[in-house]
Amino acid sequence: MRLLTGHMDEMAPSPDRCGNRILIAFAGSERARLCLHAVILVLLTVILGAGGWKPAAHAASPKDIPSITGARVAGDEVRTRFVVDLDRHTPPVISALADPYRLIIDLPEVEFQLPEGTGQAGRGLITAWRYGMFAAGKSRIVLDLKEPVSLDKTFVLPAVGDQPARMVIDLVRSTHQSFLEFAQASREKRSKSAAAGVKGDRIDPDADRDRPLIVLDPGHGGIDPGAKGIGGTLEKAVVMDFSSLLKRKLEETGRYEVHLTRQADTFVSLSDRVRFGHDMAADLFISIHADSVKSLKEQARGASVYTLSDRASDDLAEELAERENMSDVIAGVQLDAEPTDVTDILLDLARRETRNFSVYFARTLVEELKSSVRLINNPHRSAGFRVLKAPDVPSVLVELGYLSNEHDEKLLISDVWRERMADAMVEAVDSFFRPQIVQDQTEAAARPIKN
C-alpha cells in the first residue's frame, strides 16, 4: 500500500480540543488532566509519524482492464515455472518477502477469470498461490514458496493467433542469504516507485468538528477474502455490506461523522487501518469481522466483542487473533516491526486509558446485543489483535458470527438479522457517547447569543 507523508503541524491536535473528545467526556473537568491529554496526543503524533491513507476508489469497468484467463505451475523442486495467460501484454513488477518466503507479482488492475479453487495446490518450489485486488487500480499475485528461490528468467510472450499473451516466471533454488538480498533490493525499488506517485492526499481531521467521529473497519478485502462459509459466503463481502448498513444508520441519527477504512473490495493492511483511525483523530474504531474457526466448530456460534490484551483470554480468542494477524502475510505485505517496549511514560498512560475506554464500550455493546441477537458464551473476550493497537483511539473488534457454523452463515446474509444487529450497535454507540453529547448540548445552550 502507498503511504503518504503529511506535515507535523497538520497532524498535531489543537490544544483547545485537547485530543480525543471521548477522553474529555469521561475525564472530568480538571484543567491539568485535559492539558495532559493534549501533550499525550502531540507525543503520539511524533511517535506514530504522519502516514496517511486514501480511500480506495471503485474498480474500473472490466471492459477497460486486462484479463487473466488462465494460470499454471510446472516443474520440480530444482526449477519451477509459473505461467499466466493474459488477453494483452501486461508487464509485472516482481518483489520478494521473507518469513515466510513469498514472491509478489504486482500488476495494474486486472480481471481474474479463473476457476474457483485456482492456486490452492502448488508444485515444485511453489506450495500455493493466491490473487486478487490489492488497492485501487492495482492487482497482486502472491506465490507461497517452499524454500528460498531466485529468478532465473522473467518474460512476457505476445499473443499469437488464438494463443493468449503469456507471462512466464522461472524460479530456481537459492540460498537464504541470496533471497534476503533480493527481497531487500526489490523492496527498495518498490518504495522509490511508490514515493514518486505521492500527491499529498492524506485525510485531515477537522479539529473543530462538533460530532464524535467513528471509523468502521470492514475486515479483509481484495486479495485477502477472509473466512469462507460452508455455503460459500465470503467474509470480506459480508462485513462490507454490514459496515455500509451500520454507517448509514449511524449517520441518519445526525449525531456522528462516520468513515470506512475501505470503500470497495480492495485490500488495506492492518497497519494502514490503525493509522487511518489515528490520522482521522477518531473517537471510536470498530473493526467488523465474521470469522471461521477450525476447532470447536459446533460450539462457536453467535456474536462476540473483542478488545486488545497482551495475553488472550481463552483459546478461541487466541486462534482468532492469530488468524486475523496473518492478513498482511496473506496479501504479501512487508510486516512492520513491533514497537519496542521501552516507551515514554506518557505513551504508556495513553495506552492504558484507551484500553479502559475500549473495555467500557465493549461491555456496553454486549449489553445491547444480548436482547437483540444470539451471543457466544462469554461474549466479551480479548487477545492481541494488531488492528486494535492504536494507542489513542478506543477500539473493538466485533465478530458478527462464525461462517464455520451453518446457522450463523444463514443469519449473516439475512437482511432482517443485519437490521437488528445494526440497530443494537447504534444503541450501544449512543450509550457510549451520551455523556459527551449531553455535555456538548449543555455548553452550546450556555453560550451567549450573538446579535
Side-chain angles (χ1 to χ4, degrees):
M1 289 294 289
R2 179 163 56 97
L3 299 185
L4 309 176
T5 304
H7 297 289
M8 187 60 66
D9 56 353
E10 295 175 343
M11 293 288 295
S14 165
D16 294 334
R17 184 169 182 262
C18 287
N20 197 319
R21 292 179 63 86
I22 188 60
L23 301 184
I24 296 176
F26 288 93
S29 60
E30 296 90 338
R31 187 177 185 85
R33 183 176 178 84
L34 294 180
C35 291
L36 175 60
H37 285 310
V39 174
I40 292 173
L41 267 293
V42 172
L43 177 63
L44 290 170
T45 299
V46 176
I47 293 172
L48 294 177
W53 177 86
K54 182 179 179 181
H58 288 286
S61 170
K63 66 180 180 181
D64 300 324
I65 61 176
S67 296
I68 290 180
T69 57
R72 53 202 169 278
V73 182
D76 53 30
E77 295 183 0
V78 176
R79 177 183 294 271
T80 303
R81 169 168 287 191
F82 182 68
V83 182
V84 175
D85 297 334
L86 307 114
D87 67 349
R88 71 189 77 169
H89 187 284
T90 308
V93 176
I94 301 176
S95 57
L97 292 173
D99 303 320
Y101 298 119
R102 288 158 290 163
L103 200 69
I104 312 302
I105 305 170
D106 283 326
L107 300 161
E109 183 176 349
V110 300
E111 181 184 10
F112 291 95
Q113 299 178 352
L114 301 173
E116 185 176 354
T118 298
Q120 293 182 1
R123 184 172 181 176
L125 298 168
I126 300 174
T127 59
W129 56 281
R130 52 197 172 275
Y131 55 90
M133 281 289 290
F134 183 70
K138 185 176 180 180
S139 297
R140 171 168 286 189
I141 300 174
V142 180
L143 307 182
D144 292 329
L145 304 173
K146 186 175 183 179
E147 55 187 294
V149 302
S150 61
L151 290 177
D152 183 46
K153 293 188 296 291
T154 301
F155 53 92
V156 178
L157 297 172
V160 178
D162 60 351
Q163 296 298 312
R166 286 175 179 162
M167 177 178 67
V168 180
I169 299 175
D170 284 341
L171 307 177
V172 295
R173 295 173 65 179
S174 183
T175 65
H176 177 71
Q177 184 59 37
S178 295
F179 187 87
L180 292 181
E181 292 173 358
F182 170 55
Q184 178 64 27
S186 64
R187 186 163 62 251
E188 291 175 356
K189 181 178 180 180
R190 189 169 66 245
S191 297
K192 290 179 180 179
S193 175
V198 170
K199 299 180 180 178
D201 51 357
R202 65 176 291 274
I203 298 175
D204 295 309
D206 181 2
D208 297 322
R209 65 175 183 247
D210 58 358
R211 295 175 297 168
L213 188 148
I214 301 170
V215 170
L216 302 180
D217 173 47
H220 307 280
I223 193 173
D224 173 23
K228 184 176 182 179
I230 298 173
T233 306
L234 293 181
E235 180 180 8
K236 67 176 183 179
V238 166
V239 299
M240 186 73 246
D241 289 344
F242 181 82
S243 297
S244 299
L245 172 64
L246 180 57
K247 178 178 185 292
R248 176 175 60 80
K249 285 181 174 290
L250 286 168
E251 289 175 335
E252 285 175 350
T253 69
R255 293 188 286 272
Y256 309 106
E257 180 179 346
V258 188
H259 295 269
L260 299 175
T261 57
R262 65 179 177 95
Q263 306 288 337
D265 184 19
T266 52
F267 175 81
V268 183
S269 70
L270 295 175
S271 59
D272 278 346
R273 294 172 189 267
V274 174
R275 188 176 291 111
F276 181 74
H278 165 75
D279 289 351
M280 293 297 293
D283 296 301
L284 182 63
F285 180 98
I286 305 175
S287 193
I288 309 294
H289 291 259
D291 224 307
S292 176
V293 290
K294 296 180 180 179
S295 60
L296 304 174
K297 286 187 178 180
E298 294 302 320
Q299 295 89 333
R301 183 189 175 193
S304 52
V305 184
Y306 290 83
T307 50
L308 179 67
S309 65
D310 297 326
R311 297 182 62 181
S313 58
D314 53 82
D315 291 341
L316 177 59
E318 183 175 12
E319 179 182 339
L320 290 177
E322 289 178 355
R323 179 186 177 93
E324 295 300 341
N325 292 344
M326 286 293 289
S327 181
D328 285 359
V329 173
I330 290 172
V333 172
Q334 175 67 27
L335 296 180
D336 297 327
E338 292 287 342
T340 61
D341 292 333
V342 182
T343 57
D344 192 283
I345 189 173
L346 293 179
L347 178 59
D348 183 58
L349 176 61
R351 282 174 171 158
R352 291 183 183 182
E353 190 160 14
T354 298
R355 287 194 186 187
N356 289 338
F357 293 136
S358 300
V359 170
Y360 178 82
F361 176 68
R363 292 172 177 171
T364 301
L365 180 54
V366 166
E367 286 302 312
E368 289 294 342
L369 294 179
K370 280 182 179 179
S371 59
S372 300
V373 297
R374 173 169 178 157
L375 299 179
I376 197 171
N377 293 333
N378 303 317
H380 176 203
R381 305 186 182 208
S382 60
F385 292 92
R386 289 177 60 203
V387 77
L388 302 181
K389 289 192 174 182
D392 57 337
V393 182
S395 305
V396 301
L397 185 148
V398 176
E399 290 285 354
L400 301 176
Y402 295 88
L403 287 170
S404 48
N405 183 283
E406 61 178 339
H407 300 291
D408 271 6
E409 183 179 14
K410 292 177 181 178
L411 291 176
L412 289 168
I413 59 177
S414 163
D415 290 338
V416 174
W417 183 89
R418 287 191 289 199
E419 288 279 341
R420 192 163 64 244
M421 180 74 175
D423 288 340
M425 291 185 68
V426 171
E427 288 294 327
V429 170
D430 282 344
S431 296
F432 182 63
F433 284 109
R434 189 166 290 119
Q436 176 182 337
I437 294 172
V438 171
Q439 176 179 319
D440 289 346
Q441 292 173 343
T442 302
E443 291 175 353
R447 296 190 191 105
I449 299 176
K450 294 181 181 180
N451 295 324

